[in-house]
Amino acid sequence: MGFFCLFSPVVADLSFSLNSQVHLQADTIEYLKEQNLVMAKGQVHIQQGLVHLYADSIRYDVTAQDVQADGHVVWQDENQEIEAKSMTYNLRTKEGKAFRIRTVAPPWISTGAEIDIKETKVIIKDAITTSCDYAEGYRHYFMKADRITIYSGDFLVAENVLFYIGKVPIFYFPFFVRTIHDIKTPFSISTGATDFLGNYVLLTTNYLFDPKSYGALYTDYFFKKGFGLGLRHEIALNDYSVLSLFGYGIQEKDSQQLRWESRIRGLWAISSSLQGRVEADLPGDGLFSQDYFVANRDPSLVSTVREYNLSATYAHQQYTLGVLFRRQESMDINNPVITGSTTGAPTTLFSNFIQTLQNLPQANFTLFPQPLIFKNWLKYDLSLQGDHTFTQANNFYVNHLSGEIGISQSLLLAQTQNLYSRIAFDDIFQDVSDVGVTVGAGSAGETHSVNFNTNWTGRWSEFMTSTFSYTYSQKLNNLLPTDPPHGVQSNLLSGSFDFAAGSVFRARTSTSFDFQAQVGTDASRFSYFRQEFYLTPSSLFDFLAIADYSIEADALKDFNTVLNFRSPRDLWRFNISGNFVDPNVSNTGYVSQGQPPTFGISGQVVFAFFTNYRISALENYDLTNAKFIARSISLYRDLHDWEAELNYVEDPIGGKTVYFKLNLKALPGRPLNISDQQLQQLNTIRNQGLTGAASQFQ
């Protein structure tokens, strides 16, 4: 017949050593040698590199590299998975077609009538996508599109999209772009209220042009102030350079003032060793971040100081070298701008900024510990810093040079005692005296000092350890009138004893003794005597208590305790805490203020009812003044793949606030920022040396 057949009751294994490097397994394999065809049936698995194809049966043309798969077909690569009734796929071109498909690129699940597989993308026609894995007709939400294109497992683009909640169409989008991985939820809405802004609604819409260019648009409405608009954009200029842009502004309808803030940050790196940063923080009038704090999605944007930075760092295994150019401007509180408003109340803005600090430049060098005597005996380290600095207090530039050389030693004694000691000599030079300080006994000239610290850690048994540390620092010359006697800056001994009985019980006793303190008795040189207890007898109960006791006053300064209970299946949780503070007690004795001790108590209860609902309430009560000082009530709803939460908060500082949060659990909302992990993922950077540079954006 001109062909060779192989039948086996167990798994047969046939490998092809062609250019495609195809590996095939099945219950039975039939090889038609003259036609160069392979027919396989039963638990078929065909593999080429990172591509895996599973099916009930396949027909494989070895010459053309065409595969026809039927029955429970599953196609996988490193980024996604496609399920289908049947599929055709070419192992050479890495292209194929499937019908009645279901594809998963976590957390997204997409179904469609037909799919085209390309080398760098897949195209789904008549598609439905969602992150809810409930059956059709029971999904909490889904998007229906004419076509969805998934690019290399990184992001998807949908065309002519209808967004459904349940079975009801809510929104229409001509197109929709969504990153598949973990940058952020496509959009989010939150509401609340403050006295200054009134009720407000915050809408965040995230967008993705490509994995190297993405951002977020902020569209907010404040009932007292009007519409606020903001933009945050991240651009990966190349594999080593990232630019972050942010701006937010609002034309207040009551004061008619334009309020705004902005920021520019750039990260650059020539290699894993040479990297740097450029940054400009522009807070507008300086009080924007205070008045519009609810609009700041990223807490790092909150600032009242204008700052401009340019820096570079060279990192070596044994040393680092850095240079920084910096300028800071602060609000001119002596010259505020006062404007009127439609309500008649004046508005005060600190839109004038004055220079308070400028480094042109500041440079530093750090040499990591190096062997001085033998390899593991004495070690030395070195640090140098110089700057040309302008300060508002001086109103002129001053040159500073400083350096420190240290010698250290670490010893392990009897396998249970560790002793580390380091002595360092410092030298500081300043060419011009600070304003208000005379040259003869002032800051100008050269200053020498010595620093010493040692740390002794001992393990006395399986349950008990101790730690003692001593620090000493003395300025040897060029003393200021405000310096301590003999120039001794620090002379402190501190210690603690720790007792631990597994994870059930822990206790710590600690205090410190200040030889330098200018007090009348030795007892007042002691800091508070602190005692801590932690008890965790089971996963359902834990308790802690912390007390500070004044040795000199022979009285309790403060006492804090927290008691937690929870049910076995976390159906409910309860905690109660108490806080006692005596403002008349200090570590140097009694302070005659005549103020009564304060005692507050707070309690929180969290209760899950039905299957998907949880309610929690928190109350803080001042027993001294017999009044509530803060409270919080929240209602949480688990929507399977989404979660919703309604909160009411009341406190003396923020007032009464109500806000609502809707969030996709699989992709928790968080500010868009550049982290080292995202930088490497988005730009395929594999050099871990960039971690330090990327962390500048945290």
Side-chain angles (χ1 to χ4, degrees):
M1 295 291 293
F3 64 89
F4 170 75
C5 296
L6 174 64
F7 299 98
S8 173
V10 295
V11 175
D13 193 328
L14 182 62
S15 299
F16 294 91
S17 299
L18 304 175
N19 293 334
S20 58
Q21 293 295 312
V22 177
H23 182 75
L24 176 65
Q25 283 185 321
D27 289 344
T28 61
I29 299 177
E30 181 181 1
Y31 178 39
L32 308 178
K33 187 174 182 180
E34 290 186 352
Q35 301 176 45
N36 215 11
L37 293 175
V38 176
M39 311 293 290
K41 294 182 180 180
Q43 303 184 67
V44 183
H45 176 202
I46 187 167
Q47 177 187 359
Q48 180 195 41
L50 297 176
V51 174
H52 297 262
L53 182 61
Y54 303 87
D56 292 341
S57 65
I58 68 154
R59 179 182 182 275
Y60 173 38
D61 186 328
V62 179
T63 303
Q65 292 292 291
D66 287 328
V67 176
Q68 172 66 49
D70 295 288
H72 300 95
V73 179
V74 178
W75 178 89
Q76 295 175 339
D77 68 2
E78 61 178 338
N79 296 314
Q80 60 193 38
E81 177 181 295
I82 298 173
E83 300 176 10
K85 295 294 183 183
S86 63
M87 174 181 289
T88 60
Y89 186 76
N90 187 278
L91 295 172
R92 181 182 295 116
T93 63
K94 296 180 173 57
E95 296 184 356
K97 186 182 290 290
F99 301 92
R100 297 179 61 186
I101 64 93
R102 180 180 185 271
T103 178
V104 178
W108 299 100
I109 304 167
S110 302
T111 60
E114 180 182 331
I115 188 170
D116 290 329
I117 304 172
K118 306 295 184 182
E119 185 173 2
T120 59
K121 63 183 179 181
V122 296
I123 302 171
I124 309 172
K125 300 176 182 178
D126 296 330
I128 294 175
T129 186
T130 181
S131 65
C132 179
D133 58 4
Y134 281 179
E136 185 177 354
Y138 297 92
R139 300 187 184 109
H140 292 108
Y141 84 102
F142 63 92
M143 290 182 292
K144 189 174 183 179
D146 289 348
R147 187 166 85 164
I148 294 178
T149 305
I150 303 175
Y151 291 90
S152 301
D154 289 324
F155 63 98
L156 62 84
V157 178
E159 303 173 21
N160 291 324
V161 183
L162 271 174
F163 180 78
Y164 288 78
I165 294 180
K167 299 180 180 180
V168 181
I170 302 299
F171 296 111
Y172 168 78
F173 306 95
F175 71 93
F176 172 77
V177 181
R178 168 67 244 173
T179 179
I180 288 175
H181 297 303
D182 60 349
I183 293 184
K184 204 179 177 186
T185 313
F187 60 88
S188 63
I189 300 175
S190 62
T191 63
T194 68
D195 293 338
F196 181 80
L197 302 172
N199 297 317
Y200 60 82
V201 179
L202 310 178
L203 173 64
T204 303
T205 305
N206 294 277
Y207 59 86
L208 178 73
F209 295 142
D210 59 58
K212 297 183 180 181
S213 180
Y214 58 92
L217 177 65
Y218 308 137
T219 310
D220 307 332
Y221 182 72
F222 309 95
F223 282 72
K224 288 186 178 180
K225 299 296 180 180
F227 283 99
L229 297 175
L231 180 69
R232 177 80 180 271
H233 193 78
E234 313 288 343
I235 306 172
L237 303 177
N238 54 47
D239 285 351
Y240 302 102
S241 303
V242 179
L243 183 63
S244 175
L245 307 173
F246 169 79
Y248 193 99
I250 179 172
Q251 182 79 30
E252 294 182 335
K253 65 181 182 181
D254 56 351
S255 68
Q256 297 302 310
Q257 290 291 320
L258 176 62
R259 308 286 302 277
W260 61 276
E261 70 173 355
S262 62
R263 186 188 71 182
I264 301 174
R265 287 182 179 176
L267 168 70
W268 59 267
I270 298 177
S271 67
S272 61
S273 300
L274 183 58
Q275 53 205 235
R277 170 180 173 180
V278 58
E279 177 180 350
D281 294 324
L282 305 173
D285 56 56
L287 295 182
F288 179 89
S289 60
Q290 171 184 304
D291 295 337
Y292 290 87
F293 68 95
V294 298
N296 278 319
R297 275 65 162 188
D298 183 353
S300 68
L301 297 177
V302 177
S303 175
T304 59
V305 177
R306 289 183 182 175
E307 184 166 342
Y308 310 88
N309 288 330
L310 176 63
S311 64
T313 302
Y314 179 76
H316 189 268
Q317 289 183 348
Q318 297 183 347
Y319 63 86
T320 61
L321 179 64
V323 62
L324 168 67
F325 297 87
R326 175 174 55 188
R327 176 185 175 93
Q328 288 183 349
E329 299 174 357
S330 300
M331 298 180 296
D332 186 1
I333 60 176
N334 296 319
N335 296 286
V337 176
I338 301 178
T339 62
S341 67
T342 56
T343 61
T347 300
T348 302
L349 303 176
F350 295 97
S351 55
N352 295 321
F353 283 76
I354 56 176
Q355 178 182 337
T356 53
L357 175 68
Q358 186 158 293
N359 297 118
L360 293 175
Q362 175 180 299
N364 60 78
F365 171 80
T366 301
L367 178 67
F368 302 136
Q370 304 293 316
L372 180 63
I373 300 178
F374 307 118
K375 184 177 181 180
N376 296 315
W377 189 237
L378 292 178
K379 293 185 177 182
Y380 73 95
D381 58 84
L382 176 68
S383 63
L384 301 171
Q385 180 172 304
D387 61 79
H388 181 63
T389 300
F390 170 92
T391 58
Q392 182 184 6
N394 284 333
N395 201 30
F396 52 76
Y397 280 94
V398 177
N399 293 311
H400 303 93
L401 292 174
S402 63
E404 178 179 281
I405 183 168
I407 300 175
S408 61
Q409 176 62 53
S410 181
L411 297 174
L412 179 63
L413 308 173
Q415 301 300 314
T416 60
Q417 311 295 311
N418 185 276
L419 180 64
Y420 171 82
S421 299
R422 181 178 181 269
I423 186 170
F425 300 93
D426 294 78
D427 195 88
I428 301 174
F429 172 79
Q430 182 171 323
D431 64 339
V432 181
S433 178
D434 293 325
V435 170
V437 180
T438 59
V439 176
S443 56
E446 192 170 8
T447 304
H448 312 290
S449 59
V450 60
N451 298 282
F452 174 76
N453 66 83
T454 185
N455 185 278
W456 172 29
T457 302
R459 175 172 291 276
W460 304 101
S461 70
E462 182 182 355
F463 307 103
M464 180 172 289
T465 59
S466 65
T467 301
F468 292 93
S469 61
Y470 174 71
T471 60
Y472 178 86
S473 175
Q474 183 177 6
K475 195 174 179 181
L476 301 178
N477 71 321
N478 202 14
L479 300 179
L480 292 169
T482 55
D483 284 336
H486 311 292
V488 177
Q489 309 287 318
S490 175
N491 193 358
L492 184 69
L493 174 67
S494 59
S496 67
F497 283 93
D498 292 85
F499 179 85
S503 60
V504 175
F505 178 76
R506 291 184 299 120
R508 164 174 285 193
T509 303
S510 60
T511 190
S512 63
F513 185 84
D514 189 355
F515 295 93
Q516 178 67 9
Q518 301 298 301
V519 290
T521 64
D522 285 343
S524 14
R525 296 178 187 267
F526 280 96
S527 67
Y528 294 109
F529 182 83
R530 168 164 285 201
Q531 183 64 60
E532 305 172 42
F533 293 100
Y534 304 89
L535 180 64
T536 311
S538 74
S539 60
L540 308 179
F541 165 78
D542 63 79
F543 171 79
L544 72 85
I546 301 174
D548 289 318
Y549 179 83
S550 171
I551 299 174
E552 176 67 15
D554 192 19
L556 187 66
K557 170 62 178 178
D558 55 56
F559 179 75
N560 297 277
T561 181
V562 180
L563 182 63
N564 291 294
F565 294 95
R566 61 189 66 86
S567 68
R569 297 184 179 180
D570 204 26
L571 295 177
W572 57 266
R573 281 174 281 159
F574 173 75
N575 72 67
I576 184 170
S577 61
N579 173 256
F580 167 84
V581 178
D582 189 343
N584 303 302
V585 174
S586 73
N587 67 312
T588 59
Y590 276 96
V591 180
S592 300
Q593 295 179 339
Q595 298 182 10
T598 61
F599 183 64
I601 187 170
S602 65
Q604 182 180 29
V605 60
V606 179
F607 180 69
F609 57 98
F610 303 113
T611 305
N612 300 315
Y613 287 90
R614 186 174 71 241
I615 189 170
S616 65
L618 172 66
E619 293 280 358
N620 289 331
Y621 187 77
D622 183 356
L623 290 175
T624 305
N625 299 301
K627 66 177 182 179
F628 285 100
I629 56 176
R631 63 183 51 176
S632 172
I633 302 173
S634 68
L635 177 64
Y636 173 87
R637 171 71 161 96
D638 186 345
L639 297 169
H640 179 53
D641 48 343
W642 288 75
E643 58 185 355
E645 188 171 5
L646 179 65
N647 288 269
Y648 169 80
V649 177
E650 181 180 345
D651 64 70
I653 299 176
K656 299 177 181 179
T657 304
V658 179
Y659 61 92
F660 174 76
K661 179 177 68 175
L662 181 66
N663 189 60
L664 181 61
K665 293 189 331 189
L667 295 170
R670 63 173 184 265
L672 278 168
N673 59 7
I674 293 294
S675 67
D676 54 345
Q677 182 180 6
Q678 290 169 339
L679 184 64
Q680 294 182 37
Q681 286 179 349
L682 297 179
N683 302 304
T684 322
I685 294 177
R686 295 294 181 261
N687 191 335
Q688 297 298 321
L690 286 180
T691 300
S695 65
Q696 296 182 70
F697 282 84
Q698 297 307 298

